Every structure is written in C-alpha cells, then in structure tokens.
Amino acid sequence: MSSSIEALVNKEYAYGFVTDVESDTIPVGLTEDTVRLISAKKNEPQWLLDWRLKAFRRWQSMTEPHWSNVSYPPIDYQAQTYYSAPKSVKPLQSLADVDPELLKTYEKLGISLTEQKRLNGIAVDAIFDSVSVGTTMKTELEKVGVIFCSFGEAVQHHPELVQKYLGSVVPYSDNFFAALNSAVFSDGSFVYVPKGVKCPLELSTYFRINAANTGQFERTLIVADEGASVSYLEGCTAPKRDENQLHAAVVEIIALDRSSVKYSTVQNWYAGDKNGVGGIYNFVTKRGKAMTDAKISWTQVETGSAITWKYPSVILQGDNSVGEFYSVAVVNGMQQADTGTKMIHIGRNTKSTIISKGISAGKGQNSYRGQVKVLPKAEGARNYTQCDSMLIGNACGAHTFPYIEIANNTATLEHEASTSKIGEDQIFYCKARGLNAEHAISLIVAGFCKEVFKELPMEFALEAQQLLGISLEGSVG
Amino acid sequence: MLTITNLHASAGSKEILKGISLTVKAGEVHAIMGPNGSGKSTLAQVIAGHPGYDVTSGSIEYEGQDLLELDAEERAQQGVFLAFQYPVEIPGVTNAYFLRAAYNEIRKAHGEEEADPIEFLDIMEEKLKLVEMDASMMQRSVNAGFSGGEKKRNEILQMAVLAPKLAVLDETDSGLDIDALRIVAEGVNKLKRPTNATIVVTHYQRLLNYIIPDHVHVLAGGKIVKSGGKELAHELEAKGYDWLLEPAGV
Ligand SMILES: Nc1ncnc2c1ncn2[C@@H]1O[C@H](COP(=O)(O)OP(=O)(O)OP(=O)(O)O)[C@@H](O)[C@H]1O
Ligand SMILES: [Mg+2]
C-alpha cells in the first residue's frame, strides 16, 4: 500500500537485544539430578526437594498434551537448559549490589530498579532467566506487613507460608507443564498480604529470558489473607533468537474470605520472525481459588510468543465469590494462541465474567477456549461470557471453543460472541481524516479492546495500547 | 484549486468514471447531481484517495500538486475533506478522541503543536454549537448507533473542526429532516471562505436553496453530461434526467 507500511513490516522487536553477562548455566538435559542440582543451588529445605522430585516422577509418566489448536515440532526436553543465572547475582542480595549491566538491561526495557527513577506507587521484582535480580520498595511494603519478594527468598524467610500454599491450587500433578514447572522451577515472585491490609502499592514482576536454549520456569504464589486486597502486574520480554525457547510458568492465587486479587499480565515474549522462525513457546498454568466473598480478577494482554497455551482460571470455592477474566490476545505473523479461562462454580451465588477479545492478523491463528462449570451445590451461580474476534486480512484465523457444564438448574448463563473484520472502510474513513494506516488500525483495535483495557491498572493501559499498535504494525498493506 | 482532467477510474474490471473534467476555483461551490449509480460517490472517493479504485488515465491537480501521488491521509492533511455518504462506525473509540486524533494529525502535518484534550474541548465546543449538536455525542463511539441524520451532522462537525480547503459532501442532505438540513447548510455556509471550495453531491434541489452553487454539473454514466448555473438544478427538478441522457449517449 505505501512504503511507510513496508518499513514497518520489517520493524524490529524492540526488546530483542541480548545482555552480555557471565552466567552460571547448568548442562542441558533433565534428570533427577538436574532437579536436585537446582534445589541445591537454591539451598532449599528437604520438603521442597521432595516435592520437586515427586513432581518430576509424575512428569515422567505424563505425555505432552496436544488437544489445543496449535501445532509445533516436538520439543526435546533433554536439549534444554533448566537453570541459568547471571554470576553477578548473589543470593538474597540487596538492590544496591545489582550488577550495573543488569540494571542497564532493565532500563532499556523501560523498568528502573534504581531509587531515583522508579515509577510512583509500583514495587518491582525483576526476574532475569532463573533468578530474581532484586525487588524494589520492600521497606515501604514491610511497614504494612506485605511480603513481596522472590520465590527463592520466600522459601528461606517464610517457609511456613510457602509450604502451606504451594501446590494448593495447582497441584504438581495438574498437567504436563505444571508438573514440569513444579520439578524445575527456579524463581518467581511471592506475595502475601496480611489480614485486612489493602496493599498500598501496585506490585509487579518483570520476567526477562536472556540466556540461549534456556527455559524459564517461574513460579508465582500470591496469598491475600482475609479482607486483604492487592493488584499485581507481570510483564515479559525475551531476546530475538532463531531457536524456540520454552516458558512454562505456574501462577497460584489464594484469595481468602473477603479478599480481592487483581492479576494483570502484559505478555510480550519474542514472537518469532514473520516466517515463524524462533519465538517463545509459552505454556502457562494460572489458577486462583476464591473463598467466601472473595474476588479474583485476571486481565491479560497477550501480544508475544510464538505459541501461547494459557487458561487463567478461577475456582469459585466460597459462597458469593467472584471470578473475572478479561483478555486481549493478538496474533500476527505465524503466531498461534490458544487461550481462555475456566470458571469453576462451587459455592452458592458465585459469579463469573469472561470478556475475551481475540485479534488475528497475518497468518496468525487465535483460539478462545473457555469452560464454565457449575457444580451441584452452586445455587444461583451466574456467568456472563462475551467473546469477540477481529480479523485483519484474509490469511488469519479465529476459533472459539466454549465448554459449558451445568449441574445446578438455578444457574444463569449468558453468552455472546461476534466476529468482525477490520474493514477497509474503517481504515479508509480514518485515513480520510488524516490518520495513517498504522494509527487507524491501532485506534480501531483499541476501540475493540476497550472493555479489557479499562481493567488494566492505569499506568499500564496506555502501554498495552501502544504495544498492541506495535504488534499489529505491518499487518495491513 | 482543483483541476480534474479526463479522469477514468475503475473498480476491478469495471470502468465507472469515463473521462471527467472539472475545474474548481477557490471560493466556489459546485453541485454535482445525477442518477443513482452514475459515479458521483466514486468521483468523491477517488478525490479522497480510496485505494479500491484505480485511476486508469487522466489527472487530478490540487493546489499545484499531483493529488493522485498522495495517500489518502496526506490528502486529508493537506486540506481535502470528504463527508461520506455512508459514514463508518468505529466501536469503542469515542467521537471526541477520534476527532482530536484527526485534528492533531492535520496540525502535525503543518508543523503545528498538537492540541491537548483540554484545549481541544474549547475548539469542539464552539463547533458543536455551529451544527447544534449535543456535547454528549462526543462521548459516544464514532457513528456507532447514531441515527442517519446524526451521522451526517457528525460529518459536518468533523468538517468544521478540521477546516478543510476542499470539502466534498457526498449526499450529506439525504436522510436529514428539514431542521437538520437547514442547520447543516448553515454550517457549510458559515465555513465558506474565499480561500476554500466545496463540492456538494446531492439529489435534491432543496439543499441548493440553502447552499447556493456557482456551478451545477450533471453526472451520468461516468461522464459530466451537462454543466450550468444554479438554474440548472431547478430545471432538473422539473424535468428529471432523461432529456440529458439520450443526447449524451448514456
Ligand atoms: N468498489 C466497487 N466495485 C464494483 N462496483 C462499484 C464499486 N463502487 C461503485 N461501483 C459501481 O459503480 C457505479 C457508480 O457507483 P457510485 O456509488 O459512484 O454511484 P452514485 O452516483 O454515487 O450513486 P447514488 O446516487 O446511488 O449514491 C454503481 O453501478 C456501483 O455499483
Ligand atoms: Mg453515491
């Protein structure tokens, strides 16, 4: 269409650089010894090693699931490295000791870990490959009793909390990728908000994969005690590499009575090039359990990864508990996403809302897969599902796979779905008002995603919108 | 301002415009009339730069430059405005946001500072009055769920805010009630300057009672088959188009 669009097609992924740090990387391959080695490196207590080993043995007996609507060549789990950490990161170091090279990396990603330039009101835990580089604003949080630290640190300082909740929502036996993660997870974030405390800061974790041929297997555990509330955001990027890299994370949320947890994700892992070479394989298990009167809300903006396999879910265990899932998933180039949610209604008067916006461009394939399950005792359960797809161009695809199981006839379910095509007409209308094609598309798409964006913490809504614009650049021409 | 010479344009393999020549000078109002399907909207879209039409021969010169060399957005930035016959809906994007984005693109193209939302509010308020539109319309999604008349009025609001040099109004009067017609026409008249020009595409003489054209052209079968002064519109109202079609070989 125009040379400016052509230039944009070839635009680089802005986060594709590699940081040159010396790393402590264990040999490729996965055996019981690998699991022991990771656990030893992290100086873990015996119970945790035992748990990992149980997970590992279970994993060995499982097969990789292939029911999702994505295809990829077989993954050789023995050709991966399961632990890599910059040598300069000392266990439980303070921020003042962070390697300047790593600080620079995060600066380049737009995240400042140094005191002066931090975003107001946001505490950050920065995870680089297999370890946490540091966590900001810790003292501010400690004043109100909020624990926000790396998972490794939590194991050392708060073992009773970790032991109590680890695997309580996503057991190691849950699925193939969760079992793998349970065996080899290296780091991640841990959050505990005590009874009645409203966390005064936005918490966020920034995941960065740097090392080649290394998988990232982080584990996040968030516990909101009775009446507590917290908002948490995760961001992810990785260098451009020609090999696919594996990311298999587990996130568990425990929302005790009357608490509320809002979990937002802006996922921008490297997506591979336009021919489908390289990119992250993103196999993630995220689940929360909401007790009486508690609320868990997932918001995700998924723009990266070659493959996304992810279903943030809520077990509505307690009466009157609320589960929400707001999702924008974008595929462009050769990306494939199979994402959605599960809402399991167990308690009475439980309520769930699902808003899914799938955008497909290039040769991307986007699938929404959602399950709403109402168990026999869930009197008065309610679900509202809205599932909208937008297509840009003719070579992409959008698919929806809703599953509904109802065992209580007092349940009310509403389902709405739509598929639209970004029209030449819409783009021309914008152009006739002076907007170029990229601006037009990002505007039209932002409008399409509005209901989801408004759920993001304000600081990130704009970022997400821009990100969306970038991932769709060059999709029309 | 605008010189169209022997313009041929087609959509796919179908030729729609078959040799149009038209000269519009600054300060003038031209009316284009003609039967359904004669190519009026196509001409308007080709002027605005719709990529769905191929110009197979002929030229369009605008303000001393080759208009056909410019992308649609560049044309808009340089003062060409098309009020759509069928304005397009953009769900989820507020009218205010859209209009400010457009306004700022045009300012940027002129090397001017962008207006922030507060400044823009002032600009908009004044223009809303001009077309007697309620401010609440600005918080609704662009054209989504607007009535036919509201959509047309919204086009004129955009025109008022963007202050084009050359405005092409494609059947902006269709679907308007009497009051709206008057408001829209008055809006157009108030925006008239010696330095800008307007082309109105219409089926109805009544609009031309409000917006007095300097020239009236009849488009039929992709050609201009007759041109005249404002009295031609009255003649068409009385006699229809048939008497023009046959001699023109349409
Ligand atoms: N994109 C297109 N593809 C194929 N045919 C087209 C296309 N656009 C217009 N046409 C045809 O060209 C002819 C002229 O259409 P156009 O919309 O310009 O007419 P018009 O004079 O504006 O008519 P009306 O008074 O009904 O608005 C019609 O026969 C129409 O069907
Ligand atoms: Mg028309």
Side-chain angles (χ1 to χ4, degrees):
Chain A
M1 195 184 279
S2 75
S3 55
S4 68
I5 296 180
E6 220 149 84
L8 283 160
V9 180
N10 302 316
K11 191 164 172 160
E12 302 272 309
Y13 174 65
Y15 310 104
F17 63 90
V18 177
T19 307
D20 191 12
V21 285
E22 229 189 303
S23 286
D24 167 17
T25 304
I26 67 172
V28 296
L30 180 52
T31 62
E32 229 175 80
D33 286 342
T34 319
V35 177
R36 288 178 193 280
L37 184 59
I38 293 169
S39 185
K41 279 195 179 291
K42 306 191 76 69
N43 193 27
E44 286 175 350
Q46 188 64 39
W47 64 262
L48 189 48
L49 173 61
D50 292 344
W51 192 77
R52 283 177 181 276
L53 290 171
K54 275 192 276 181
F56 179 70
R57 285 169 203 141
R58 185 58 182 257
W59 177 74
Q60 283 181 306
S61 72
M62 297 167 108
T63 48
E64 198 183 284
H66 285 286
W67 43 259
S68 64
N69 190 27
V70 298
S71 64
Y72 52 92
I75 298 170
D76 183 354
Y77 291 92
Q78 296 305 334
Q80 306 272 330
T81 297
Y82 289 85
Y83 184 89
S84 177
K87 278 194 174 148
S88 57
V89 177
K90 300 279 167 298
L92 315 184
Q93 66 184 6
S94 89
L95 268 176
D97 304 324
V98 176
D99 181 352
E101 198 57 38
L102 294 176
L103 286 182
K104 257 195 277 169
T105 299
Y106 284 93
E107 295 281 349
K108 262 166 111 173
L109 298 170
I111 293 142
S112 186
L113 302 177
T114 49
E115 213 52 70
Q116 315 81 2
K117 290 190 221 146
R118 275 184 216 156
L119 282 169
N120 273 337
I122 300 170
V124 181
D125 184 21
I127 312 269
F128 191 88
D129 290 332
S130 304
V131 289
S132 169
V133 168
T135 309
T136 68
M137 304 275 203
K138 275 179 132 160
T139 23
E140 288 85 340
L141 291 170
E142 274 161 15
K143 275 184 214 151
V144 288
V146 172
I147 303 169
F148 177 43
C149 62
S150 71
F151 201 94
E153 197 177 331
V155 170
Q156 302 301 325
H157 295 329
H158 310 284
E160 68 301 334
L161 284 173
V162 176
Q163 194 169 8
K164 181 167 177 191
Y165 293 110
L166 178 68
S168 67
V169 185
V170 181
Y172 64 76
S173 55
D174 191 77
N175 68 70
F176 181 84
F177 295 109
L180 175 63
N181 173 286
S182 302
V184 302
F185 75 88
S186 39
D187 219 334
S189 296
F190 176 80
V191 175
Y192 173 78
V193 186
K195 268 187 197 159
V197 172
K198 187 175 182 312
C199 185
L201 299 173
E202 189 77 43
L203 306 184
S204 97
T205 301
Y206 199 90
F207 295 101
R208 174 76 178 166
I209 297 179
N210 187 62
N213 294 319
T214 301
Q216 194 176 52
F217 305 91
E218 85 271 1
R219 184 114 200 162
T220 297
L221 179 56
I222 297 176
V223 182
D225 214 324
E226 291 171 14
S229 75
V230 62
S231 168
Y232 177 95
L233 182 119
E234 70 169 36
C236 334
T237 59
K240 279 175 78 155
R241 296 190 185 278
D242 288 345
E243 310 81 39
N244 296 106
Q245 280 180 282
L246 187 59
H247 174 255
V250 172
V251 175
E252 293 179 274
I253 297 176
I254 295 97
L256 296 176
D257 293 357
R258 300 179 312 284
S259 70
S260 130
V261 178
K262 183 175 176 63
Y263 191 108
S264 315
T265 306
V266 176
Q267 186 265 107
N268 187 24
W269 296 119
Y270 177 52
D273 71 7
K274 62 177 190 295
N275 301 314
V277 176
I280 302 287
Y281 289 170
N282 191 33
F283 299 102
V284 173
T285 306
K286 290 183 166 176
R287 194 176 305 150
K289 191 192 267 184
M291 305 310 287
T292 305
D293 296 324
K295 174 176 169 180
I296 293 176
S297 177
W298 298 101
T299 304
Q300 60 174 23
V301 177
E302 304 280 320
T303 62
S305 297
I307 290 176
T308 297
W309 180 99
K310 180 177 170 189
Y311 316 91
S313 305
V314 184
I315 300 169
L316 297 148
Q317 181 78 48
D319 292 351
N320 312 314
S321 56
V322 174
E324 295 173 342
F325 175 72
Y326 299 98
S327 169
V328 167
V330 184
V331 292
N332 195 3
M334 300 289 283
Q335 282 176 278
Q336 307 173 65
D338 192 303
T339 184
T341 185
K342 283 192 237 175
M343 294 290 175
I344 315 292
H345 293 255
I346 299 173
R348 282 170 298 173
N349 298 316
T350 46
K351 191 178 144 193
S352 62
T353 303
I354 300 171
I355 311 267
S356 161
K357 304 276 179 175
I359 298 152
S360 316
K363 293 184 180 152
Q365 294 295 327
N366 211 336
S367 302
Y368 165 80
R369 189 180 302 278
Q371 183 184 42
V372 178
K373 194 169 177 173
V374 178
L375 274 69
K377 294 202 176 114
E379 288 289 314
R382 277 177 296 159
N383 165 266
Y384 173 75
T385 298
Q386 184 188 331
C387 185
D388 299 322
S389 308
M390 177 177 264
L391 302 170
I392 305 177
N394 295 318
C396 55
H399 319 270
T400 46
F401 303 96
Y403 306 89
I404 295 168
E405 268 175 65
I406 300 178
N408 183 308
N409 59 15
T410 62
T412 327
L413 273 78
E414 267 179 86
H415 187 103
E416 284 177 34
S418 77
T419 300
S420 57
K421 231 178 133 137
I422 249 196
E424 273 300 319
D425 285 356
Q426 283 177 321
I427 294 174
F428 178 60
Y429 189 68
C430 294
K431 290 183 105 191
R433 297 296 176 257
L435 277 53
N436 64 25
E438 297 81 56
H439 194 166
I441 290 167
S442 70
L443 187 113
I444 295 163
V445 169
F448 176 71
C449 299
K450 193 181 203 169
E451 293 141 289
V452 175
F453 284 164
K454 75 178 196 330
E455 296 299 325
L456 283 174
M458 208 179 33
E459 298 85 341
F460 299 100
L462 193 67
E463 189 186 317
Q465 196 164 325
Q466 282 164 352
L467 185 61
L468 216 71
I470 291 166
S471 33
L472 287 170
E473 267 168 3
S475 56
V476 166
Chain B
M1 171 170 287
L2 183 77
T3 310
I4 301 176
T5 312
N6 194 27
L7 184 73
H8 289 254
S10 48
S13 57
K14 178 179 167 153
E15 181 165 66
I16 302 169
L17 302 183
K18 300 170 180 165
I20 291 197
S21 295
L22 178 67
T23 302
V24 178
K25 297 202 186 74
E28 289 182 344
V29 174
H30 288 240
I32 296 180
M33 305 183 77
N36 291 136
S38 59
K40 303 180 298 295
S41 292
T42 303
L43 176 62
Q45 305 257 2
V46 168
I47 293 172
H50 196 293
Y53 298 99
D54 297 321
V55 173
T56 49
S57 69
S59 65
I60 307 181
E61 192 195 295
Y62 166 73
E63 295 277 87
Q65 50 183 334
D66 181 356
L67 192 68
L68 298 174
E69 278 295 303
L70 304 180
D71 271 338
E73 68 268 30
E74 294 169 321
R75 298 182 196 194
Q77 289 160 8
Q78 299 195 20
V80 176
F81 179 89
L82 169 64
F84 283 60
Q85 181 175 3
Y86 304 107
V88 178
E89 303 187 359
I90 311 178
V93 177
T94 65
N95 221 6
Y97 186 91
F98 178 71
L99 196 46
R100 185 163 66 88
Y103 182 75
N104 281 335
E105 285 299 339
I106 289 169
R107 286 185 67 136
K108 263 197 290 189
H110 290 96
E112 291 163 27
E113 289 254 334
E114 296 184 35
D116 64 39
I118 309 291
E119 277 171 69
F120 187 68
L121 214 60
D122 289 339
I123 298 166
M124 221 168 52
E125 211 164 294
E126 180 203 327
K127 305 298 181 188
L128 278 167
K129 275 194 207 124
L130 190 77
V131 292
E132 297 182 28
M133 227 167 95
D134 196 272
S136 65
M137 296 292 281
M138 299 313 291
Q139 296 316 316
R140 289 175 55 183
S141 294
V142 180
N143 293 324
F146 285 24
S147 76
E150 286 168 344
K151 284 183 183 174
K152 296 300 177 76
R153 218 186 280 199
N154 199 31
E155 293 291 288
I156 298 305
L157 173 73
Q158 294 181 11
M159 176 175 123
V161 171
L162 302 178
K165 276 192 215 151
L166 174 69
V168 182
L169 312 184
D170 190 0
E171 294 200 29
T172 303
D173 55 332
S174 302
L176 291 182
D177 62 38
I178 303 287
D179 289 336
L181 183 72
R182 180 186 48 78
I183 291 161
V184 162
E186 275 173 9
V188 171
N189 286 333
K190 280 187 200 147
L191 296 167
K192 199 174 155 183
R193 303 275 177 283
T195 48
N196 60 25
T198 311
I199 299 174
V200 292
V201 174
T202 182
H203 284 293
Y204 306 106
Q205 194 305 112
R206 59 168 199 185
L207 175 70
L208 305 177
N209 290 336
Y210 295 102
I211 304 174
I212 313 291
D214 301 295
H215 301 274
V216 175
H217 311 276
V218 178
L219 190 62
K223 285 186 224 161
I224 290 180
V225 295
K226 183 146 185 85
S227 295
K230 63 173 190 288
E231 63 293 337
L232 177 57
H234 289 281
E235 203 175 345
L236 293 171
E237 185 97 330
K239 304 208 298 203
Y241 293 115
D242 281 348
W243 61 286
L244 289 170
L245 302 186
E246 222 159 305
V250 177

